[in-house]
Amino acid sequence: MTHQAQPTALSYREALFKAMHDAMALPNTLVFGQGVNDHKGIFGTTTGLGEKFGKNRMIEVPLAEEGVTGICIGAALNGAYPINIHIRADFVLLAMNQIINLAAKYKYMFGGLFDVPMLVRLVIGRSWGQGAQHSQSLQSLFAHIPGLRVIMPASSGAIVDSYAHAVQHHRGPVISLEHRLMYDLTFERDHEPTVLGKTPFSQRRVRKGNDVTVVSTSIMSLEARRAADWLADRGVSCDVIDLHCVSHIDANVIMESVGRTGRLLVADTSWQPYGVGAEICRIVCERDPGALKAPVVTLGMAAAPCPTAKSLEDIYYPNLTTLTDSIAKLVRGKADHGIELPHERSMADVYKRFKGPF
Amino acid sequence: MTRRCEETIVRIYPDDEMKTPMHMSMGQEAVAVGVCRALGNNGDVVASYRSHATYLAQTEDHGSFFGELHGRVNGTADGKSGSMHLADIPKGMLGSTGIVAAGIPVAVGAAFANKQNSPGRIAAAFFGDGATDEGVFWESLNVSCAMGLPMMFVCEDNDLAVHTRKSHRQGFNSLVEVVKKYRCSVYEDDTNDVESIYAMTRSAIAQIIAMGTPAFLNVKTYRYLEPCGTTMDSDAPYRRAEEDAYWKGRDCVALQRARLLANGLAEKDVVAVENEINAAILASVAAAKAAAHPTPQQLYYGVFYEAP
Ligand SMILES: Cc1ncc(C[n+]2csc(CCOP(=O)(O)OP(=O)(O)O)c2C)c(N)n1
């Protein structure tokens, strides 16, 4: 048995590059996207792969989101594994017809005749003046649709393992929402969350605790970890679950945790109405609402399009302070919980070596 | 004025007070200025995210321009839009959008309404050659030609979509030849000369009004700066040295300045006007920096059309 040395730490960007490289090393993979072969290579995640594997498989496409998505579906029907990349999740809205009316239903509608194995990579462009049309976090839209598998990788390990699983084992369409603010963060392999299930699409435990269950997505899982670390030093123990796959949630994982803690906070990257928080509440309420000792708390973006002005953007997104405060209130059961809060206005300031525009 | 505004942006952007992506018009200004001047007060305009020149040509208002780029309440949208969504209803600037080609059918809708309500008023959509890859461009062209709308399509053809050339993206050799098959009049210009573009647009307007059919203007031009951002990327692999030199050798602002001098204007008079413009721009920047940030209450205002 040969053993390939794995690096002990990878940035999110490096993980994406590795995932794309490993996918291209398989003969049936095709990558479609605007800018995949230019010198910026989708933020460095496809750079040089066209040269290495051929530009007939790393395919620079016209601006034709709906058409290209349909082309991916057709190629998938005929034995290819297409990966379609959009540098902003917002641009995939032009392709919703193909994704929802075709890709998601192709197998079922034809009585199981077809598989549509494909991966759609979407980048959430939060912060730094990205504004209303370059920053949306659209997971609930996709997760609502039967037939789609929607993931939000929150670490380098989650990228590498999930993309390998998608390409090699999963036979249906996978929508992955990557977070732009994480691209430059480095994740150590030894600190990866624990996978709570059989496949890399399963939920993950970021931190074990008994006072409160924090269910989070994408970059909010990083925030939840920071909040939990802070609170652990102040006598509050958080059970943090990174949802990872928002379309397929293992109810047992949620119920086991809520059963122990009796308190639930959901921190999502998107709007709350009809969102991840609502879905987690459905899971709990349908199974054992009595497990809750206090009303559920959810956090997300303000229910408005994203404003560009920094002064508004800073209050548009929940930050470490609001998250920590919300957890403390929930656990202590009162607003004046007496727990010191970390002082941080804007998460973007912390995570960002990234400073606009792209 | 447009050029000076953008030169100012290039200078002060690194101060990081304008926290918004910048899609710069520099090099391409003749298109917006020529077309918007020709429309005068009798046109509605929808622009792409590369909206600076179009906005400034249509409104001549660098005060709210810089206010918006600084995210302040004296901007076009109280700081909510940043550089990608500039608008001004009284001046006929019906918006600019960050989604490629998305504004084109909106302009068609404006043309439709004008046909009913404001005979003689024209709607113009500005977009890049990349936008013509998109299905919605063709749908919009088809609808306007089928319905005979007072609509002007203005393609700012810089050959590039981000870093990718037309030849790589389009399965035909000449957009103009394809569009000629539609029931609309087609115009072309590759002079980078604002007066030539102005004259062409005047003819197009006359034809739209006389024939009741749309016009399509394909104007060749050149983007000086990176696709998004304020630096020159002449060394990037997608650039071609000869092309760069060719277009910078016929810079639209330099062309017009030379013409003014050749027409007998004194150098000192031109300089005086330039100084006046520069001073006014600096005043706008100062006013923007002095203006208030939007209040937290502003966050939810306008979401569902509620009263202020
Ligand atoms: C629907 C959509 N797809 C992709 C993008 C990303 N994008 C932004 S600008 C651009 C190139 C557009 O080129 P063109 O229309 O020629 O305009 P130019 O930038 O040259 O002015 C692309 C692909 C987008 N904003 N919207």
Side-chain angles (χ1 to χ4, degrees):
Chain A
M1 202 171 79
T2 54
H3 227 68
Q4 219 183 331
Q6 295 283 340
T8 55
L10 275 184
S11 74
Y12 199 78
R13 183 197 311 276
E14 289 163 344
L16 285 163
F17 179 79
K18 176 176 162 46
M20 289 299 100
H21 181 278
D22 293 353
M24 286 298 284
L26 302 169
N28 292 333
T29 308
L30 302 173
V31 176
F32 294 88
Q34 294 165 24
V36 293
N37 285 329
D38 72 20
H39 61 290
K40 298 273 173 87
I42 316 285
F43 311 122
T45 67
T46 60
T47 314
L49 295 179
E51 281 76 22
K52 180 162 181 183
F53 294 103
K55 292 184 179 171
N56 56 336
R57 293 213 290 126
M58 175 66 69
I59 303 145
E60 186 69 46
V61 296
L63 286 84
E65 287 77 7
E66 179 174 9
V68 167
T69 306
I71 290 165
C72 288
I73 296 171
L77 297 179
N78 262 2
Y81 189 89
I83 299 176
N84 187 196
I85 312 176
H86 300 270
I87 54 163
R88 283 290 181 279
D90 313 67
F91 306 156
V92 82
L93 290 171
L94 279 74
M96 290 306 251
N97 176 43
Q98 291 291 334
I99 293 178
I100 295 179
N101 278 331
L102 280 88
K105 302 178 175 39
Y106 224 91
K107 188 179 181 80
Y108 187 87
M109 208 163 60
F110 293 102
L113 286 184
F114 300 103
D115 285 336
V116 186
M118 62 186 273
L119 170 65
V120 183
R121 281 181 55 196
L122 308 174
V123 185
I124 300 169
R126 168 173 170 173
S127 91
W128 206 85
Q130 294 292 313
Q133 297 177 331
H134 279 62
S135 63
Q136 294 171 92
S137 202
L138 301 170
Q139 59 269 29
S140 321
L141 233 54
F142 292 108
H144 186 60
I145 306 298
L148 299 178
R149 179 67 75 149
V150 185
I151 60 172
M152 303 189 78
S155 70
S156 298
I159 294 276
V160 173
D161 297 346
S162 302
Y163 285 14
H165 184 72
V167 175
Q168 294 170 34
H169 303 293
H170 193 72
R171 300 297 298 156
V174 176
I175 312 287
S176 177
L177 292 114
E178 302 163 6
H179 205 293
R180 183 72 179 89
L181 277 188
M182 285 198 270
Y183 268 59
D184 289 319
L185 298 184
T186 296
F187 295 83
E188 287 172 30
R189 197 146 52 93
D190 293 344
H191 287 90
E192 283 285 337
T194 317
V195 178
L196 302 170
K198 292 197 192 66
T199 84
F201 290 162
S202 306
Q203 276 70 61
R204 281 129 212 273
R205 175 162 279 113
V206 175
R207 192 184 168 109
K208 183 111 186 168
N210 293 315
D211 293 332
V212 55
T213 300
V214 179
V215 176
S216 52
T217 57
S218 188
I219 200 160
M220 291 313 289
S221 292
L222 273 58
E223 288 299 86
R225 182 197 287 249
R226 294 171 69 213
D229 288 348
W230 175 275
L231 288 167
D233 295 338
R234 289 159 182 83
V236 175
S237 135
C238 304
D239 205 47
V240 181
I241 296 165
D242 168 35
L243 214 47
H244 181 51
C245 181
V246 299
S247 59
H248 293 66
I249 301 170
D250 182 346
N252 295 328
V253 167
I254 308 293
M255 294 315 296
E256 183 279 325
S257 176
V258 172
R260 271 188 294 114
T261 64
R263 296 182 189 89
L264 172 64
L265 181 143
V266 185
D268 187 28
T269 57
S270 192
W271 298 292
Q272 286 137 300
Y274 291 89
V276 169
E279 178 60 12
I280 300 295
C281 287
R282 183 180 72 88
I283 288 173
V284 175
C285 291
E286 285 182 352
R287 283 167 183 77
D288 186 10
L292 293 170
K293 292 188 272 197
V296 176
V297 176
T298 67
L299 292 181
M301 307 189 296
C306 181
T308 300
K310 177 107 175 19
S311 53
L312 294 180
E313 195 183 65
D314 282 348
I315 55 173
Y316 181 74
Y317 294 108
N319 59 35
L320 181 62
T321 310
T322 48
L323 175 59
T324 311
D325 189 35
S326 303
I327 299 173
K329 276 182 193 150
L330 176 58
V331 172
R332 291 285 184 260
K334 51 188 177 189
D336 57 339
H337 46 68
I339 296 174
E340 183 196 356
L341 295 177
H343 280 292
E344 188 178 292
R345 290 295 309 147
S346 158
M347 180 166 85
D349 294 339
V350 181
Y351 284 107
K352 222 171 28 182
R353 261 164 284 164
F354 166 63
K355 184 180 112 184
F358 272 84
Chain B
M1 186 263 276
T2 300
R3 174 66 58 87
R4 298 288 170 250
C5 283
E6 289 207 323
E7 284 170 354
T8 308
I9 294 174
V10 170
R11 202 155 34 75
I12 66 177
Y13 199 45
D15 301 345
D16 204 20
E17 291 209 34
M18 297 185 288
K19 295 180 199 304
T20 171
M22 294 285 184
H23 298 85
M24 304 288 275
S25 304
M26 199 177 287
Q28 306 190 172
E29 299 95 332
V31 189
V33 175
V35 171
C36 293
R37 283 302 96 224
L39 285 171
N41 297 326
N42 212 18
D44 294 306
V45 164
V46 181
S48 73
Y49 49 87
R50 198 173 302 290
S51 58
H52 296 177
T54 321
Y55 176 80
L56 292 168
Q58 184 70 11
T59 67
E60 301 187 10
D61 177 5
H62 49 65
S64 31
F65 177 74
F66 277 105
E68 191 56 44
L69 298 186
H70 282 82
R72 306 300 171 103
V73 292
N74 70 334
T76 59
D78 298 327
K80 284 179 182 170
S81 87
S83 133
M84 278 194 283
H85 315 295
L86 300 168
D88 182 338
I89 293 178
K91 302 251 174 73
M93 178 83 193
L94 297 190
S96 19
T97 135
I99 304 299
V100 172
I104 302 174
V106 176
V108 175
F112 194 95
N114 285 342
K115 184 177 178 176
Q116 314 271 339
N117 306 331
S118 317
R121 192 171 174 89
I122 285 173
F126 285 79
F127 50 89
D129 53 282
T132 69
D133 294 4
E134 292 280 9
V136 74
F137 160 71
W138 296 99
E139 293 173 20
S140 303
L141 180 66
N142 182 49
V143 167
S144 350
C145 294
M147 295 187 179
L149 299 179
M151 171 70 197
M152 190 155 67
F153 293 87
V154 185
C155 180
E156 302 181 80
D157 179 3
N158 61 18
D159 198 36
L160 289 164
V162 189
H163 310 117
T164 309
R165 301 217 171 241
K166 278 206 303 273
S167 56
H168 221 88
R169 313 187 319 262
Q170 302 192 333
F172 47 83
N173 296 327
S174 164
L175 175 65
V176 161
E177 290 309 314
V178 179
V179 176
K180 277 182 183 164
K181 306 287 185 210
Y182 284 72
R183 294 198 287 271
C184 69
S185 44
V186 177
Y187 297 82
E188 284 181 87
D189 183 282
D190 65 355
T191 61
N192 214 27
D193 173 355
V194 67
E195 293 200 5
S196 153
I197 295 167
Y198 173 85
M200 174 179 72
T201 311
R202 293 299 307 171
S203 319
I205 292 169
Q207 194 146 2
I208 292 171
I209 291 172
M211 314 265 295
T213 49
F216 180 89
L217 277 53
N218 199 81
V219 193
K220 284 215 161 48
T221 185
Y222 189 68
R223 160 167 62 69
Y224 286 2
L225 306 179
E226 56 190 330
C228 179
T230 61
T231 47
M232 202 78 102
D233 63 347
S234 311
D235 295 337
Y238 75 95
R239 293 278 188 189
R240 294 173 183 155
E242 338 73 78
E243 184 187 44
D244 207 53
Y246 172 78
W247 283 98
K248 287 176 185 163
R250 62 216 295 261
D251 177 76
C252 55
V253 178
L255 271 178
Q256 190 60 9
R257 193 178 197 281
R259 176 182 285 127
L260 292 177
L261 294 177
N263 285 351
L265 231 66
E267 169 76 20
K268 70 168 178 25
D269 293 337
V270 175
V271 170
V273 172
E274 287 169 340
N275 287 341
E276 206 177 297
I277 291 172
N278 282 336
I281 289 172
L282 290 181
S284 285
V285 172
K289 287 185 178 171
H293 291 279
T295 59
Q297 289 76 12
Q298 275 288 342
L299 183 58
Y300 290 102
Y301 173 61
V303 180
F304 289 114
Y305 305 91
E306 69 277 47

